[in-house]
Amino acid sequence: MNARPPHGSARPGGRTARTRAAVLAAAYDALGAESFSALTLDKLAERSGVHVSTIRRRWRTVEGVVVDLLAERSSTLSTPDSGDFRRDLHELARSIGDFNNALRNRNLIQGLVAAAAYDPRGEEILRDTFVGRIDERAPIVRHAIDRGELPADTDAKDVIAALAAPFYYRVLILRGPIDARLVRTSAEAVYQAARAGVFRRENEAPGP
Amino acid sequence: MNARPPHGSARPGGRTARTRAAVLAAAYDALGAESFSALTLDKLAERSGVHVSTIRRRWRTVEGVVVDLLAERSSTLSTPDSGDFRRDLHELARSIGDFNNALRNRNLIQGLVAAAAYDPRGEEILRDTFVGRIDERAPIVRHAIDRGELPADTDAKDVIAALAAPFYYRVLILRGPIDARLVRTSAEAVYQAARAGVFRRENEAPGP
C-alpha cells in the first residue's frame, strides 16, 4: 500500500480512491470551519469515517493530508488560452484571486507555510507544488511569444511568478482579503512589464 | 513595567534598554544558527543572561520577542530619496532583497508567518508591522508624483506593496534565495507598471 501513489487514480472507483476522496473532503470541510492549527488526524477520522490508523499509514501527518488536498484543488485550476496575452493574464489573476479568497484555501496556504517553517519535508513539498503550478501556467507566456506579443527571450516562469506574488503577499504578510483591484493591478502590472521587456533573460532587459 | 512600550527608548542607557538589547541580540544570534521552531524562552535566557521570568514578563512568548526584533531590524532600513523614481525603486528592492537573504531574517519572517497561523495576536502584529513598513516607504512614490514622474492619482501603498511582494513569494512560497535578477525585475516591473498608470486609483487605470 505504501508504494502506491497517494492519488489512488489507478482504480477511480476503488476503495483506495474512495478513502482518499473521503479524507480530503473531510479536510476541505474542516478548513472551511476552523484554522489549520485546529486540525488533527482524529478529527479527520471522525469527519471522514476512515479509521485514523488508515489515515496515518497513508498520509502520516495532518500536513501530509493538507499537501495532498492542495495538489487536488490546484489541479482544478485551468490554464487560460484565449489567444490574447493580456486577457489570459487577467483570467489567471482572477482564478488565483478566487482560489486564495476562499477561507478554506487561505487556511490551507497559511497552514502549509506554517508547516514548512517547522518541517523540512513540508518545505520541500510546498516548493515543489508551487514550482509545478508555475510550470503548468508557463504556456500562457510561450503562446504569447509565439504570437509575437512578447520578446522571444522572455522568461515564462518569471512572468507567472510575478503575477502570483501579490496574492500571496496579501494573504500571508498583509493578512488581508483579495479584492478586484488587486486582481486587476497584478495582471496589468505584469502585462505592462512583460511588454516592456522586463522579464527578458539576463543582460537583455532594461535597467536604470 | 507592563504599561511601558517594549522599545525602552525613554532611557537609552537604562536597564530596560540594556535588557531589551541583550534579549534581541540573543534572538538575532540564535536565528542565524537555527530555525524559529528551535527557539525557546529558556534558550534566550541562557544566551542573553537575562532571567527567563523577566523575558516572559516583557514579551510573553518567543513570538513576542521575534516581533520586537523585526520592528528593530526593519527600522534600520532607510527609505531611498535620490530624486529619481527608478533609482529609488531599485535601491529599495536591493535593501529588501538583502534583508530577506540574510538567513536569520528569513528564519525570522518564516517564523512570524508560522506564528500568525496559530495565533490571532501574531497575525495582527504581522499585519501592523508590514502595513507600517509600506507607509514608511510611500514617500518614494509621493515624491515621484511631485516631480511629475507618475500620474497624480497613483496609489503609493499599492506601488510599494507590488515592489515587496515578489521577495516574500520567493522566500515563503518558492523557498528559494533572492538573486540579483529578482531584485532587478521586481524594481523594473513596478517602474514600468507605475509609469503606465497601472496603480492609478479605481476607474482611472487601464484594463484589457
Side-chain angles (χ1 to χ4, degrees):
Chain A
M1 285 291 277
N2 274 339
R4 183 182 284 224
H7 299 82
S9 51
R11 292 191 305 145
R15 193 164 61 89
T16 304
R18 282 201 306 275
T19 297
R20 177 178 183 244
V23 173
L24 296 192
Y28 188 69
D29 285 347
L31 286 170
E34 56 192 356
S35 77
F36 173 78
S37 61
L39 259 193
T40 63
L41 290 184
D42 285 328
K43 276 193 198 169
L44 288 177
E46 196 180 322
R47 275 179 179 267
S48 65
V50 174
H51 200 279
V52 69
S53 65
T54 305
I55 300 178
R56 186 171 290 116
R57 195 165 53 237
R58 184 158 183 172
W59 288 278
R60 287 179 50 201
T61 60
V62 171
E63 284 81 358
V65 175
V66 163
V67 164
D68 196 19
L69 178 60
L70 178 73
E72 189 205 47
R73 291 283 142 187
S74 298
S75 67
T76 63
L77 297 175
S78 63
T79 298
D81 189 13
S82 70
D84 180 84
F85 178 54
R86 194 179 208 168
R87 193 176 298 276
D88 282 355
L89 283 178
H90 280 266
E91 196 178 318
L92 180 57
R94 264 193 301 275
S95 83
I96 299 176
D98 287 347
F99 181 85
N100 282 293
N101 242 359
L103 177 63
R104 48 171 58 88
N105 290 329
R106 294 173 74 91
N107 282 336
L108 181 63
I109 297 293
Q110 290 172 2
L112 279 170
V113 172
Y118 294 104
D119 170 16
R121 200 182 61 97
E123 179 166 44
E124 198 177 318
I125 291 168
L126 185 68
R127 180 192 297 121
D128 290 351
T129 302
F130 279 88
V131 167
R133 278 193 187 193
I134 289 173
D135 287 344
E136 279 166 30
R137 277 94 176 247
I140 290 177
V141 180
R142 286 197 285 268
H143 293 163
I145 292 171
D146 291 345
R147 288 189 303 262
E149 289 190 79
L150 292 178
D153 61 349
T154 300
D155 188 294
K157 293 179 188 183
D158 280 1
V159 172
I160 303 299
L163 180 71
F167 297 98
Y168 294 92
Y169 184 71
R170 178 70 63 92
V171 167
L172 293 170
I173 297 286
L174 300 183
R175 319 297 288 195
I178 288 160
D179 50 25
R181 179 169 167 86
L182 185 68
V183 171
R184 187 174 54 68
T185 57
S186 301
E188 201 58 21
V190 168
Y191 175 73
Q192 297 291 345
R195 293 277 290 176
V198 170
F199 301 107
R200 297 180 69 185
R201 294 194 208 288
E202 216 62 64
N203 300 326
E204 305 284 347
Chain B
M1 286 291 276
N2 273 339
R4 183 181 284 222
H7 299 83
S9 51
R11 292 190 306 144
R15 194 164 60 90
T16 304
R18 283 201 305 276
T19 298
R20 177 178 184 243
V23 173
L24 296 193
Y28 188 68
D29 286 347
L31 286 170
E34 56 192 357
S35 78
F36 173 79
S37 61
L39 260 193
T40 63
L41 290 184
D42 285 329
K43 278 193 197 170
L44 287 177
E46 196 180 321
R47 275 179 178 268
S48 65
V50 174
H51 199 278
V52 68
S53 65
T54 304
I55 299 178
R56 186 172 289 117
R57 197 165 51 237
R58 184 157 182 173
W59 288 279
R60 287 178 52 201
T61 60
V62 170
E63 284 81 0
V65 176
V66 163
V67 164
D68 196 18
L69 177 61
L70 177 74
E72 190 205 47
R73 292 282 142 188
S74 298
S75 66
T76 63
L77 297 175
S78 63
T79 299
D81 189 13
S82 70
D84 180 85
F85 178 54
R86 195 180 208 168
R87 193 175 298 275
D88 283 353
L89 284 177
H90 280 266
E91 197 179 317
L92 180 57
R94 265 192 301 276
S95 83
I96 299 176
D98 288 347
F99 181 86
N100 282 293
N101 243 1
L103 177 64
R104 50 171 56 87
N105 291 329
R106 292 172 76 90
N107 282 336
L108 181 62
I109 298 292
Q110 289 172 2
L112 279 170
V113 172
Y118 294 104
D119 170 16
R121 200 181 62 97
E123 179 165 45
E124 201 178 315
I125 292 168
L126 185 68
R127 180 192 296 120
D128 290 351
T129 301
F130 279 88
V131 167
R133 278 192 186 193
I134 289 173
D135 286 344
E136 280 165 30
R137 278 91 176 251
I140 290 177
V141 179
R142 285 196 287 266
H143 293 163
I145 292 171
D146 293 344
R147 288 189 303 263
E149 290 190 78
L150 293 177
D153 61 348
T154 300
D155 188 295
K157 294 179 188 183
D158 280 2
V159 172
I160 302 299
L163 181 72
F167 297 98
Y168 294 91
Y169 184 71
R170 179 69 63 89
V171 168
L172 293 170
I173 297 286
L174 299 183
R175 319 295 288 196
I178 288 159
D179 50 24
R181 179 169 168 84
L182 185 68
V183 170
R184 187 174 53 68
T185 57
S186 301
E188 201 58 22
V190 168
Y191 175 74
Q192 297 291 345
R195 294 276 290 177
V198 170
F199 301 108
R200 297 180 71 186
R201 294 193 208 289
E202 215 63 66
N203 299 327
E204 304 285 346

